[in-house]
Amino acid sequence: MAGESYTQYGAGSIGKASHTGSGDIVAGGKYVGGTTPDVSAVEKLLEEVQAMKQHLDESDRAEVDAAVAEIQTNPSQERFGKILRTFSGIATVIGEAGVPVIAAIKALLG
């Protein structure tokens, strides 16, 4: 574009971005400025969530299943945080059976 000037600083800087469709404008991944979740930590969390499901009623089990399906689609950092809060809220309410899920979330968050 004639006459336009852009100065870029820092990781993930993309200057001028135009978007004419759907989806995210992503430079360097969806977690630029934050930390990308460790895959093994996410897998550990999902293992603990699966073990927790046997202690849940049908409604909570359906909510957990939906969150697990969504976490596997590589959600945005904001949505990922909401999913973690869903897991931790349910884990807290069920007590002792939810402790491994809480520990896995803490490990994931560092």
Side-chain angles (χ1 to χ4, degrees):
M1 310 270 169
E4 294 183 9
S5 175
Y6 300 98
T7 305
Q8 299 175 224
Y9 300 99
S13 178
I14 61 172
K16 180 181 179 186
S18 62
H19 188 275
T20 59
S22 62
D24 299 332
I25 295 177
V26 179
K30 288 187 178 187
Y31 298 97
V32 173
T35 56
T36 304
D38 179 17
V39 174
S40 63
V42 172
E43 289 172 354
K44 176 66 175 165
L45 170 63
L46 294 177
E47 287 174 13
E48 297 299 348
V49 167
Q50 289 302 321
M52 175 182 73
K53 282 177 44 177
Q54 67 181 332
H55 302 281
L56 303 178
D57 64 20
E58 192 62 37
S59 174
D60 286 341
R61 206 172 301 128
E63 187 173 356
V64 166
D65 286 340
V68 166
E70 188 172 356
I71 209 168
Q72 293 172 338
T73 67
N74 192 22
S76 68
Q77 189 172 3
E78 179 183 338
R79 186 62 192 142
F80 184 75
K82 287 183 178 185
I83 293 168
L84 292 181
R85 288 189 295 278
T86 296
F87 291 152
S88 64
I90 292 171
T92 300
V93 170
I94 66 169
E96 192 66 32
V99 170
V101 172
I102 299 294
I105 291 170
K106 286 182 178 181
L108 182 63
L109 297 176

